[in-house]
Structure formats: C-alpha cells, structure tokens
C-alpha cells in the first residue's frame, strides 16, 4: 500500500469513532470531527439502542439496553439527524410488529394453561383458557374502518352483512336445523 493509501485508510479508521460537532464561529457554523466519549453514543451503543427500540417499541427499555438514559436518547435524537432517522425507522419496524401481534391475538386469541396441583405437588387437573382481547380488536377495526369502507366502495364490494350475505346465512342455518332434526 502506498503512503497516501495508508494515510487515507488511517483517516477512515479514525473517523469511525468520531462524530461531527458544529461550532459557531464569527464566520458562521463549521462542522468538526471529534472523538465520541467513551460513555457517549458510540456506534455499538447506537446499534444496541436501535435494535432494542425496533424489538420493543419502548424508548426507556432501548436506552437501558444501550446503557444510556432515555433523556440522553432524546437529547441525541435532537442533536443528530442521522440518529433521528434511524429512530423513526426502528419505531416503524416496531409498530408494524406490534400491530401484527395484536391483530393475531384479536383473531386467534391467546392461550393460557391453568394447572391445579394437589397437596403433594402432583398435577390434579389442567385447563387451557383461551382469551380474545376484544378491546384490541375493536381499536384495530375503528382505526381502519374508513380506509376499508373506501376500498370496498371503490371496488364495488358489498359489506359482509349485505342482503345477499344475509340470505346465504339464513339458507345455511336452515340446512343445519334440518340436519339436526334427522334421527338415525
């Protein structure tokens, strides 16, 4: 490697642990590189923070995972536009995951196993409880109601409880009733 190449590589390697700092001078604002404090927002801490934020959608938890305070995270977001962009991207990922999880729970419910033990610690009975978080489902329906109604209007799709759907449902119910009356 040439001396010029070594100098360029050295500058690039040194720049990885540096952050831009704006200083006010009489002639205006000047960007200057300075080293990241050891207890500051190092690239490793930023990565930990963003990964935790994307996984939890919780700023305080993400800051804890990065070994920083949430007030420090908010201050860094104000100071650093790149950090703010990464923050928004991480929140979008977390929001999409949270929305999908809540939708799955609303549609399919959650299961919880209840185990009853006797006096000696042996399993006496097991019961699986299924719970449907209806409040979450209702919120999701309300959040998307206008959008879905507009899409149905544009595509000319009738509501699921339209007249034709009601007729089909009544026909199906009558067929079930007739089957129930048949004695073998």
């Amino acid at each position: 490697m040439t001396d010029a190449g070594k100098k360029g590589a050295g500058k690039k390697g040194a720049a990885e642990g540096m952050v831009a700092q704006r200083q006010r001078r009489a002639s205006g604002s000047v960007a200057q590189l300075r080293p990241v404090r050891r207890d500051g927002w190092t690239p490793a801490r930023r990565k930990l923070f963003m990964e935790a934020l994307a996984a939890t959608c919780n700023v305080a938890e993400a800051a804890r995972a990065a070994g920083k305070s949430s007030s420090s995270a908010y201050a860094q977001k104000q100071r650093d536009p790149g950090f703010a962009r990464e923050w928004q991207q991480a929140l979008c990922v977390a929001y999409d995951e949270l929305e999908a999880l809540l939708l799955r729970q609303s549609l399919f419910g959650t299961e919880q196993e209840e185990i009853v033990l006797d006096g000696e610690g042996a399993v006496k009975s097991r019961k699986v409880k299924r719970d449907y978080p209806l409040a979450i489902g209702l919120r999701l329906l309300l959040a998307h109601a206008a959008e879905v109604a507009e899409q149905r209007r544009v595509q000319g799709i009738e509501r699921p409880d339209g007249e034709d759907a009601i007729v089909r449902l009544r026909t199906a119910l009558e067929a079930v009733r007739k089957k129930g009356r048949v004695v073998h």
Side-chain angles (χ1 to χ4, degrees), residues 62-79:
R64 239 185 322 279
K68 302 296 285 177
S69 67
S70 56
S71 60
S72 171
Y74 282 108
Q76 181 69 13
K77 181 182 174 192
Q78 289 291 344
R79 281 192 306 270

Side-chain angles (χ1 to χ4, degrees), residues 167-184:
V167 169
R168 286 195 314 271
L169 181 60
R170 285 186 177 149
T171 304
L173 285 173
E174 188 58 36
V176 169
R177 284 188 194 112
K178 285 180 183 177
K179 283 184 179 180
R181 290 185 201 146
V182 176
V183 178
H184 293 283

